[in-house]
Amino acid sequence: MALASAKKAAVTVAVAVTGATLAAYGAYAAQTSSAAGQPSTSAPRPIARSIVATGSASPSPPPSHSASSSLPAAPSSSHAAQSSSTAAGPSDPGSASAAGLSNGFTVSNALQFATQDGGKSVALTFDDGPDPRWTPKVLALLAQHHAKATFCEIGPNAQHHPDLTKAIVAAGDRLCDHSVHHNERQSSMPLDYNIHEIADAQRQISDAAGPGAKLWYYRAPGGDFKPVIRDIAAQHGLRPIAWSDDSDDWKRPGVAGILQNINRNLHPGSIILMHDGGGDRSQTITALAKLLDQLDSQGYTYSFPAR
Ligand SMILES: [Zn+2]
């Protein structure tokens, strides 16, 4: 009995915390709507790289993904494929939370490891763009191979290159929110900051994409997918998406190194993480050409993360 009571108490606390999140979000929504959608972060401005964890003023390399091990379910093995089938199931703590808050969510807040099509499909994902040097090259390679991909854009990058964001949509690829400032310690910041990081980038990317374009997902910089982050994403209709195959291309390990990183855990259902922005992605482009040849010859098809 004592144990059951303790469990119940713990659940109550969890609900209370999330309730506070929702209440704060309500206040935020009212505030932004009265401000006619013009919060300070929506104005075009350079990417505030100084806010990024390294404090580097250089656009490259992104400090990103150094915290990839912080993914709640480290997708470093075939477990990722297994978890994919249960990502929205009762064993996933995120989905349990979503079930308890169904009124406030249009998508699950559970971290998604599965591809939409299942079978022998992979989901290619490109983060930190769009970038006029690299995104067109990625799109050209994808087109050559009739492949689709998901692009996790940083809001201001989309603002600066709406043509690229529109090209992504026109090619049948999908858009994903990757925050405004790429702060890998986002969840350590106040709630209002977190909401702005996700909601403002969503607006920036949506504006760049044009009417009718859809934002499908949220990917947290550095894999900072704490529950509060996933809740905010889900409240905005964005499914949090993980990765199972980290190319570590931003470290520029060489083309062979990138391919080795991807192939280490490649399996049907892989969600592959690469970058089309954040620095010199020439190795990524060369590696992608080889990867697409390889995937084609192995009989893989191209899908998206399941929503
Ligand atoms: Zn990133």
Side-chain angles (χ1 to χ4, degrees), residues 49 62-65 126-129 152 154 178-179 182 184 219-223 243 250 273-275 277:
R49 285 285 176 188
S64 53
H65 322 302
F126 296 90
D127 288 9
D128 296 359
C152 299
I154 295 173
H178 198 41
S179 85
H182 205 281
E184 297 187 10
R219 176 173 273 161
W243 60 85
W250 61 275
L273 170 61
M274 303 177 85
H275 294 80

Side-chain angles (χ1 to χ4, degrees), residues 159-183:
Q159 275 191 319
H160 295 150
H161 305 290
D163 53 323
L164 296 176
T165 302
K166 287 183 173 69
I168 287 167
V169 174
D173 299 314
R174 288 189 182 178
L175 292 170
C176 165
D177 181 335
H178 198 41
S179 85
V180 176
H181 293 110
H182 205 281
N183 181 352

Side-chain angles (χ1 to χ4, degrees), residues 65 116 257 263:
H65 322 302
Q116 175 179 285
N263 279 311

